[in-house]
Structure formats: C-alpha cells, structure tokens
Amino acid sequence: MLIKSRNASDVLSSEITPKSVFEKRRSFLKTAAFAGAGIAAGALPTLPAYAARTPLSGVQKSKWSAESLPENDPITDYEDVTSYNNFYEFGTGKRDPKENAQEFKVTPWEISVEGACMKPGKISFEDLIKPETLEERVYRLRCVEAWSMVVPWVGVSLASVLKKFEPTSDAKYVAFETLFDPERMPGQRQPVLKWPYKEGLRIHEAMHPLSILGVGMYGEVMPNQNGAPVRLVMPWKYGFKSIKSIVKIKFQKTIPPTSWNDAAAREYGFYSNVNPAVRHPRWSQDSERRIGEIFKRKTLMFNGYAEEVASLYEGMDMRKWF
Ligand code: MTE
C-alpha cells in the first residue's frame, strides 16, 4: 500500500486533546449515539437518511458487544476513527477522506447482486436498514499499515443478505465493487489504483457469521469517509479487504481480481488474513498501534478471531496463501 509519510496535519486528535477532555467527549458521544439508537425502534429516522450523524433506529445488541472485548481493548475515539482514513476515492492522505467526502451524496443507493445465483437483483439501502436486521458488532479492524481501531459498527449479516439471491453451486467466490463516478469521487480522476476499487472473498468467508455489511458506526449512519452508505467489515482480515461504498456484488466461479493485488501482487495477496508471522515485504506485521494510543500492541493471529475463523483455512499454507 502506498504510504504517505506522516506530516503535521496527520496528528491524531487524541494526541492534541488533553486526556480529560478526550474522555469526556468520548463518553458524551457514546451516550448520544446509544440514546439515538434506542429511539422509536421500528421507525426509520425522519431526517434524510444521510444527514451527518443521523442515528439508526432499532439497532439490536449482538454477542459481539463492547463487554465481549478484553478490558485493555477500549472502543476507539469517534474523532480518530472518522478523521484518519484510507479511502483513495477521496485522496491518498489519511486526512483527505474526511475533508473531501462531505459532499458525497449517497441517497438513493442500490447494490446490484448478480452472477451465479438464482435470483439476481438489487438491494437498496432502505432494504438493508430494516430495524429487525441491524446489529451492533464491536469489532477490531487492523490495517496492513499497522494501525488498528475498535469500532462499534452497525451492520447486517452478509450471509443473510447473500442468501436472498440464492447463490448456486458455481458461486465459489464473491466479488465486490465500489461506485465508479469520478464526478462524485474526485480521487478517481487520478490513476492511483485501477478504478473502481475491487475486492473479493471466498464464498465460505463471505458466509461466515462474523462477516457483515456495515451501514453505520457508533449507533449512527456510516460517515462518508468511512465508506457510506454500505461497506464490508471483515474483522479478521487486513483493513483493505473491507471495501467501501459498494454498488456491485457478483457470485462467481473464479477468483476475483482485487485492487491491491492488481497494484502490487507481491505485497497484497487475495486472502490477506491478519497474520503476525507473515511479514509484509517492507515491514513487520507483528505489532500495531491503535489510533489514539501511544504504545504498540502485539498483533494477534486472525486479529484475535482465530477461534471463530481458523477452521476456514485448515490445511492451507498461510505463507503461500497470504
Ligand atoms: N474501499 C475503497 N473503496 N477505497 C479505499 O481506498 N481503503 C481500504 C478499505 N476500503 C479503501 C476501501 C483500506 S486500505 C482500509 S485500511 C479501510 O478501508 C479503512 O477503513 P476506515 O476508513 O473505516 O478506517
């Protein structure tokens, strides 16, 4: 992944905010978000679905709650999660997406689902945010660049969405594509990647209970810079697998091309499971820094989700299939 050296504007807000203010703001944001999430279960927000900071209603708690994480694994500050991003459609700097994505209009939004399935069709954002399907999942996400975060995502099970389209036995893989619209996504005017951004999963990975389509975070709709309106969240894989602003999902027999593998095959494999034992050719992957924290932590195999996902890769040489 192309890495920009950190400059003054890349200083994290938690690094410049006194700790007491930072903690107070964090607890205020949490209360506000969850109060919002609890209102009028069953009703959709009356604001246009994508005004910034709109609460999502009817969000169910899941077994992946904040309490399920170890004590030393606190939820990352909202400010940090929303102001330190990779979203090359809005610039290659970590501060660019927040600055450049604010005008990005995401309503109406549809995802077309096609390929090896009995019922190809479309799914709209409104279909996805039916209150009975929305869950809060507090997941860690670990970027290949060795930073990580803990986020209360709001999402729907990817398997539950995919099954509606009745994939056939030819559906060995699932391919995902981001919107291609250089007018609305100015970063696409530069050839930094082959647009549109593409990702792919093996069908068993896509159908795994941990895999979600994220539609929000902190009880609210997804901020534009974090991949509005719909993105993948694959907690045991490096962050770049979690493709943002998805418009197309395709079931297919063959392994899908993926953007970072296309850009640098030696550095980014198809699987991209978090694995502290396998170095990125240019740096170690055995530790990481939570955004907003000073000290590094050890990176865990499958980002700490080994118990749930290791069986997906039984018998595979993880060095070869990195
Ligand atoms: N999706 C698209 N369409 N474009 C991107 O540039 N960057 C990826 C991933 N999804 C990216 C993307 C990378 S490298 C990471 S680390 C995560 O998004 C970052 O997600 P975040 O902004 O919520 O931290």
Side-chain angles (χ1 to χ4, degrees):
M1 196 153 302
L2 310 175
I3 302 207
K4 246 187 79 187
S5 58
R6 218 161 164 245
N7 56 36
S9 69
D10 282 346
V11 175
L12 298 172
S13 70
S14 55
E15 288 170 345
I16 51 175
T17 310
K19 195 159 179 11
S20 57
V21 178
F22 171 71
E23 290 299 340
K24 243 190 239 156
R25 186 179 59 197
R26 169 139 109 186
S27 101
F28 165 76
L29 284 167
K30 262 194 237 165
T31 316
F34 291 118
I39 52 153
L44 292 178
T46 45
L47 287 166
Y50 275 115
R53 315 263 1 216
T54 306
L56 282 162
S57 56
V59 181
Q60 316 285 318
K61 288 270 171 203
S62 71
K63 69 173 185 172
W64 296 277
S65 65
E67 293 78 54
S68 70
L69 294 164
E71 236 171 62
N72 68 347
D73 232 359
I75 288 179
T76 307
D77 177 52
Y78 177 93
E79 284 300 314
D80 288 337
V81 171
T82 56
S83 61
Y84 190 81
N85 305 96
N86 277 335
F87 198 173
Y88 276 27
E89 286 82 344
F90 294 100
T92 55
K94 297 282 183 273
R95 301 290 171 196
D96 294 345
K98 182 174 179 187
E99 198 171 311
N100 300 333
Q102 296 315 312
E103 302 302 312
F104 180 48
K105 293 267 177 300
V106 294
T107 37
W109 193 274
E110 277 187 333
I111 302 177
S112 127
V113 185
E114 49 197 77
C117 60
M118 300 303 287
K119 293 188 170 162
K122 290 182 188 291
I123 187 159
S124 70
F125 174 72
E126 283 68 29
D127 293 334
L128 280 173
I129 60 163
K130 295 266 160 58
E132 65 275 16
T133 63
L134 290 185
E135 272 185 31
E136 184 180 87
R137 309 263 193 122
V138 182
Y139 283 164
R140 305 174 203 96
L141 200 70
R142 205 282 195 185
C143 183
V144 75
E145 293 162 295
W147 49 269
S148 61
M149 57 194 193
V150 181
V151 178
W153 304 99
V154 178
V156 297
S157 139
L158 178 59
S160 71
V161 173
L162 296 181
K163 281 177 188 161
K164 291 191 178 125
F165 298 88
E166 299 184 12
T168 66
S169 57
D170 275 349
K172 306 281 188 236
Y173 295 91
V174 190
F176 298 85
E177 266 182 39
T178 294
L179 175 73
F180 179 66
D181 187 343
E183 284 290 308
R184 288 156 75 196
M185 294 182 141
Q188 291 177 336
R189 296 175 209 158
Q190 306 299 327
V192 284
L193 286 174
K194 251 195 246 166
W195 307 111
Y197 195 98
K198 294 187 190 65
E199 257 311 331
L201 298 170
R202 221 172 63 186
I203 188 85
H204 303 100
E205 300 177 314
M207 293 295 185
H208 191 278
L210 280 178
S211 309
I212 57 169
L213 282 175
V215 296
M217 49 167 60
Y218 300 83
E220 303 170 355
V221 295
M222 192 68 77
N224 284 351
Q225 60 271 34
N226 290 87
V230 186
R231 64 174 288 172
L232 267 187
V233 185
M234 300 297 296
W236 72 95
K237 292 180 176 282
Y238 289 118
F240 66 88
K241 298 296 282 182
S242 293
I243 180 174
K244 296 173 168 181
S245 306
I246 299 169
V247 290
K248 188 162 128 184
I249 298 179
K250 190 173 176 196
F251 298 104
Q252 56 189 64
K253 205 169 182 173
T254 52
I255 193 162
T258 63
S259 289
W260 283 104
N261 185 255
D262 270 354
R266 228 174 60 78
E267 303 193 4
Y268 308 104
F270 176 78
Y271 284 94
S272 297
N273 293 315
V274 173
N275 186 346
V278 175
R279 276 181 63 84
H280 180 281
R282 289 184 279 141
W283 61 84
S284 158
Q285 290 292 18
D286 67 3
S287 65
E288 69 201 55
R289 199 171 75 92
R290 282 282 147 77
I291 46 174
E293 289 184 2
I294 294 164
F295 297 109
K296 285 188 164 182
R297 311 168 164 252
K298 282 221 150 310
T299 290
L300 302 174
M301 187 63 200
F302 295 113
N303 201 23
Y305 299 94
E307 216 173 287
E308 287 98 325
V309 301
S311 61
L312 289 174
Y313 309 100
E314 236 161 50
M316 279 173 69
D317 177 349
M318 303 286 288
R319 287 181 185 277
K320 185 171 170 207
W321 304 106
F322 63 99

